[in-house]
Amino acid sequence: MRIPFVDLAAQRATIASEIDEAIRGCLDRNDWILGQDVAAFEEEFAAYCETTGAVGTDSGLSALDLTLRAYGIGPGDEVITAANTFVATALAIVSAGATPVLVDADPKTFNLDPALLEHAITERTKAVMPVHLYGQPADMDEIGAVADRHGLLVIEDACQSHGARYKGRRTGSLGHAAAFSFYPSKNLGAYGDGGAVVTSDERLLDRLRLIHNYGQREKYVHVVKGFNHRLDTLQAAVLRVKLRHLDEWNAARRRCASLYSQLLGQLDTTTPATEPSAEHVWHLYVIRVGRRDELRSFLGERGIDTGIHYPLPIHLQPAFADLGYARGRFPVTERLVDEVLSLPMFPELEDAQIHAVVAAIADFGAEVSAPVADRMEAFAGPKDEPSRAA
Ligand SMILES: *Cc1c(COP(=O)(O)O)cnc(C)c1O
């Protein structure tokens, strides 16, 4: 039995006629740029995220970048974000001209450790950009409290958390603004690139609408030097169809995750702790194992595809050498990159496939981890250690 890591064809099979009809609508209307599906999607997605507005963009990276620019964050400013994230989070900060300041992960949840946040703040800090990694909301109360004390903006990187809730509220509505990606394999994915900013800040919405479309409100009158980062109308048409299925797909992911957890629990494999007050949407199902690379090849030989999110942390990426962070600076993140393994996870994944994945892990004799908290404590370092490069 071959088990893919994600299966977008299986999902398309369930919605093919709806998608075809939506795309045909654009074709028939000859409707391509900022068309009616873009406006409708923005309204529907904002309502879904419990914000007053949304602006579609051409990627998650540009959604983050434009949000920073729209808030006037740029050269000389610092933005604090997670060391344990996808590169786009840090790239957006650099692209806006600001400096990323990284904070290590909480060894229990793998999300940004709020206890380290305050030490990363300087007089140049303008915003905190927490990431809801793997679909699990970051500790937004703690992060919000620190941000409030220092007058900082909170911009959510919600690119992995479409539909997730924290204390009953949707991710996307938990800070001043939030960025989503609709990369095809995200929980809500287009058939190409796409993204959105959601916010209830009307001034920000106005500014974003301006700068994502050449700085014009009126055609050929450019009031600021803008960009072309618009969401494609065809993608908006696809996203409108898929948004109607998102809750049902997230529920299916949750069922898959709980079966994994139940079966893996018998093997004593470590997974990130889930916050009881949060509704995780399981963009990824991640385990930690000692002989990760060996296990990954073993599973691969049996036809089971897996992923590593992420194999090299931002501060050790060649492109970010100029930030000046040395190896050893973020011990939790550095440990995770060697031990995390993402198992197949998509809404159409069948129980039998989950059983097969776990059986294969059992066969390998997966290195059994002690509870994360115990193992990580030894190398997590003191909590009051400042989190930025000297
Ligand atoms: C996917 C992702 C992004 C960027 O999304 P793109 O649409 O690929 O630009 C940003 N941050 C995180 C955490 C992501 O997972």
Side-chain angles (χ1 to χ4, degrees):
M1 173 164 29
R2 186 176 166 264
I3 306 178
F5 182 61
V6 289
D7 189 348
L8 297 175
Q11 184 186 74
R12 168 152 159 74
T14 68
I15 53 170
S17 61
E18 287 174 84
I19 293 285
D20 293 354
E21 195 185 318
I23 290 177
R24 201 171 321 112
C26 297
L27 299 175
D28 290 347
R29 285 193 304 275
N30 218 25
D31 190 9
W32 314 117
I33 304 295
L34 297 181
Q36 76 179 45
D37 281 312
V38 172
F41 174 71
E42 287 174 344
E43 205 168 294
E44 291 158 6
F45 192 61
Y48 181 85
C49 294
E50 301 169 356
T51 61
T52 61
V55 177
T57 63
D58 55 358
S59 73
L61 172 59
S62 34
L64 288 164
D65 176 15
L66 289 176
T67 302
L68 293 169
R69 289 174 190 268
Y71 272 127
I73 294 171
D77 297 332
E78 292 176 353
V79 177
I80 300 174
T81 193
N84 188 35
T85 182
F86 178 55
V87 72
T89 321
L91 276 178
I93 298 167
V94 171
S95 169
T99 304
V101 173
L102 305 179
V103 168
D104 208 357
D106 179 321
K108 291 191 277 304
T109 64
F110 306 7
N111 264 325
L112 185 151
D113 187 344
L116 300 173
L117 185 54
E118 199 130 34
H119 306 285
I121 295 171
T122 73
E123 68 286 348
R124 288 203 289 257
T125 311
K126 290 293 185 305
V128 186
M129 198 180 268
V131 182
H132 307 305
L133 198 68
Y134 311 149
Q136 165 152 259
D139 189 347
M140 293 303 286
D141 277 358
E142 281 300 310
I143 292 166
V146 175
D148 280 353
R149 267 204 300 283
H150 295 269
L152 306 178
L153 293 163
V154 177
I155 299 166
E156 299 168 72
D157 180 339
C159 290
Q160 300 188 1
S161 70
H162 318 65
R165 289 183 188 276
Y166 175 81
K167 301 191 174 171
R169 291 157 60 211
R170 292 271 195 208
T171 58
S173 70
L174 303 168
H176 294 89
F180 285 88
S181 164
F182 305 124
Y183 181 81
S185 60
K186 302 289 165 111
N187 290 33
L188 177 61
Y191 289 143
D193 278 309
V197 182
V198 300
T199 179
S200 295
D201 178 341
E202 291 300 326
R203 282 179 47 209
L204 183 72
L205 284 168
D206 183 59
R207 183 92 192 147
L208 287 166
R209 287 196 182 106
L210 196 59
I211 62 174
H212 93 305
N213 182 29
Y214 288 124
Q216 59 189 358
R217 283 199 184 84
E218 192 186 325
K219 203 163 187 178
Y220 302 135
V221 180
H222 306 276
V223 295
V224 294
K225 296 183 191 77
F227 307 88
N228 177 358
H229 283 310
R230 302 173 297 220
L231 174 64
D232 194 88
T233 303
L234 277 172
Q235 301 303 343
V238 167
L239 289 164
R240 289 187 71 198
V241 171
K242 289 189 161 202
L243 181 59
R244 299 200 284 268
H245 297 275
L246 180 55
D247 284 340
E248 141 214 342
W249 289 334
N250 281 342
R253 286 176 184 270
R254 219 168 278 131
R255 276 197 306 278
C256 293
S258 70
L259 182 57
Y260 266 132
S261 298
Q262 182 196 325
L263 298 173
L264 288 166
Q266 291 156 18
L267 294 180
D268 214 11
T269 311
T270 305
T271 53
T274 52
E275 272 294 318
S277 59
E279 212 173 282
H280 196 321
V281 289
W282 302 100
H283 172 57
L284 296 170
Y285 189 94
V286 174
I287 61 170
R288 269 182 63 210
V289 282
R291 291 184 289 148
R292 191 265 318 274
D293 294 337
E294 283 172 65
L295 171 61
R296 188 168 194 223
S297 339
F298 180 85
L299 295 175
E301 281 158 22
R302 296 189 162 204
I304 299 168
D305 293 344
T306 55
I308 298 175
H309 300 89
Y310 294 92
L312 188 63
I314 288 165
H315 69 289
L316 301 181
Q317 294 284 353
F320 285 95
D322 59 344
L323 293 181
Y325 291 113
R327 186 177 291 276
R329 189 69 191 74
F330 303 110
V332 177
T333 298
E334 287 174 35
R335 181 76 175 261
L336 289 174
V337 299
D338 291 332
E339 298 186 348
V340 289
L341 185 67
S342 307
L343 302 182
M345 170 55 83
F346 52 93
E348 299 75 17
L349 188 63
E350 289 163 14
D351 285 5
Q353 295 177 305
I354 295 172
H355 279 276
V357 172
V358 177
I361 295 172
D363 284 353
F364 177 75
E367 210 80 321
V368 175
S369 312
V372 182
D374 300 351
R375 289 191 57 192
M376 305 294 281
E377 225 157 41
F379 61 88
K383 288 266 182 187
D384 60 354
E385 183 189 310
S387 254
R388 51 185 301 275

